Amino acid sequence: MRKTIYWIEGDGIGREIWQAARPIIDAALAKESDLKLDWQELLAGEKAVAETGSPLPEATMQALRTAEVAMKGPLGTPVGTGMRSLNVALRQSLDLYACIRPVRHFDGLETPVKHPERVDMVIFRENTEDVYAGVEFAAKTPEARKLVAFLREELGVTKVGDEAAVGIKPMTEAGSKRLVRRALRFALDNGKQSLTLVHKGNIMKFTEGGFRQWGYDLAAEEFADVTCTEKEPVAGRLVIKDRIADAMFQEALLRPEQYQILATPNLNGDYISDALAAQVGGLGLAPGVNMSDTLAFYEATHGTAPTIAGQDKANPSSVILCGAMMLEHIGVPKAAERIRTALSKAIAARAVTVDLADQVTGARVVGCRQFGEIIGENL
């Protein structure tokens, strides 16, 4: 009984967090199952450039196109110049249309809000469309001016200046519905009470407004016997509701217990998932997975942290919790829960990495390696 797990080390702190995380994932699995993991490394990012000259080698893409499960550390992306995001390239090339981020609080962490324990949500973020599609042109370039001229001359748009940078925000019915469909199935399979469509449809009426309407349409077309709307509730059914994106940020602070599953377009999901992570302790404790219909690709949600790379200061919790999600996905939920319990015990014992120390009264700062060892012992 063996399962191949492809993995990408990542840039910056990638090596350190993997050295801490992999033994924990393997040990938790060994305590609950005879299944063995075959870890096969793929190259991407700085390590790939050093060895192949390409940040995303074709050999990596070929392996991932036929893979069922993969995991990755953080990959760097320059701001404003240079190559486009490797993360976005992977999501679009592999059609990883659903970014799924569970957010919950771990006892012992002091956070910016009074009741972080009330946050227990799973965000389903559409991953391939919206402004992340990458259709944009720099200001004053021939491409931008040509697009502006088309908008003005062919469509009568007069509010875009000749020297503007311009971008396109594509959102489709098919793309929106498949994201909401996956969120609905998850909510129903896990006995949730509500699903909330988060959008800015009051302003972007045909893109984000379309997302909202397509979500409601999908529920009525395929899940009519098990769902209802907030305006017409039916006892025992999953309630479908929607919130304007800015109002949802307020709700997340004031009434988080009223929200369980969020389904969002790409940009909204990026914002709200990071904001919710901050409410419960930060991105260092936030796992995530990007999924197509055939591949589950788990990734640490934080950045490469180059200022602390190689200093044994990184927090490996995100990739460790990704491992827990992965173990659930391959059918070993008890091993996943064992990891989460072990991490909770480590935080309760107040021996934590430097990024968590400010949130734990009387904390004793330990390095990345030692923090991983403590979690491993707690298994």
Side-chain angles (χ1 to χ4, degrees), residues 85-377:
S85 167
L86 291 179
N87 294 314
V88 173
L90 285 166
R91 293 165 192 168
Q92 293 181 344
S93 298
L94 299 169
D95 199 28
L96 301 170
Y97 64 86
C99 176
I100 305 170
R101 294 268 298 271
V103 182
R104 52 159 285 192
H105 178 250
F106 286 89
D107 289 342
L109 282 181
E110 301 162 7
T111 74
V113 298
K114 290 183 178 179
H115 292 288
E117 74 282 356
R118 295 178 183 175
V119 176
D120 188 2
M121 302 185 208
V122 182
I123 301 97
F124 282 73
R125 167 191 171 193
E126 201 291 317
N127 225 9
T128 61
E129 300 186 333
D130 202 352
V131 293
Y132 283 73
V135 186
E136 62 173 356
F137 304 96
K140 303 180 183 180
T141 60
E143 296 85 359
R145 286 178 170 145
K146 186 175 182 179
L147 182 53
V148 169
F150 174 81
L151 292 171
R152 182 181 297 121
E153 296 166 11
E154 300 294 329
L155 300 178
V157 177
T158 60
K159 296 180 181 180
V160 183
D162 291 333
E163 298 186 350
V166 290
I168 304 294
K169 180 185 175 77
M171 294 177 66
T172 66
E173 179 177 0
S176 299
K177 282 186 173 180
R178 67 178 179 174
L179 182 280
V180 176
R181 182 182 294 112
R182 186 178 283 273
L184 277 167
R185 287 175 176 163
F186 178 89
L188 292 165
D189 289 345
N190 289 275
K192 302 300 182 181
Q193 297 175 337
S194 70
L195 180 148
T196 306
L197 305 167
V198 182
H199 61 92
K200 193 63 178 172
N202 58 329
I203 303 299
M204 291 169 276
K205 299 182 184 297
F206 306 115
T207 50
E208 303 221 3
F211 176 87
R212 170 190 177 276
Q213 188 58 52
W214 293 324
Y216 278 120
D217 290 347
L218 185 279
E221 292 162 0
E222 299 183 17
F223 299 88
D225 58 335
V226 288
T227 64
C228 63
T229 65
E230 188 177 32
K231 293 181 180 179
E232 298 179 348
V234 177
R237 293 191 179 187
L238 178 71
V239 176
I240 312 297
K241 53 189 177 182
D242 72 276
R243 295 292 182 269
I244 302 297
D246 44 331
M248 186 63 229
F249 277 85
Q250 176 175 269
E251 291 290 284
L253 287 167
L254 298 178
R255 288 172 284 273
E257 68 279 1
Q258 295 183 14
Y259 300 88
Q260 298 179 314
I261 309 295
L262 306 183
T264 83
N266 208 331
L267 185 60
N268 293 338
D270 198 357
Y271 291 156
I272 193 68
S273 57
D274 282 14
L276 285 169
Q279 287 182 221
V280 299
L283 286 176
L285 291 166
V289 59
N290 298 296
M291 301 188 77
S292 70
D293 288 332
T294 57
L295 172 62
F297 202 161
Y298 298 84
E299 67 175 24
T301 58
H302 52 71
T304 60
T307 58
I308 63 169
Q311 299 178 36
D312 194 37
K313 293 181 179 179
N315 181 355
S317 299
S318 180
V319 74
I320 290 170
L321 291 170
C322 284
M325 291 181 70
M326 181 269 291
L327 292 174
E328 282 183 325
H329 178 72
I330 64 175
V332 197
K334 290 183 178 180
E337 191 55 35
R338 191 180 282 271
I339 288 176
R340 296 188 185 106
T341 301
L343 177 58
S344 295
K345 288 182 179 179
I347 294 172
R350 302 178 182 179
V352 295
T353 49
V354 65
D355 63 311
L356 298 177
D358 289 341
Q359 302 172 72
V360 177
T361 298
R364 176 172 65 90
V365 175
V366 298
C368 178
R369 177 188 56 78
Q370 186 177 359
F371 190 54
E373 291 172 352
I374 292 170
I375 296 171
E377 292 167 1

Side-chain angles (χ1 to χ4, degrees), residues 8-11 44-46 72-77 86-87 90 302-304:
I8 293 171
E9 181 176 86
D11 301 329
E46 295 173 0
K72 62 180 282 295
L75 293 171
T77 301
L86 291 179
N87 294 314
L90 285 166
H302 52 71
T304 60

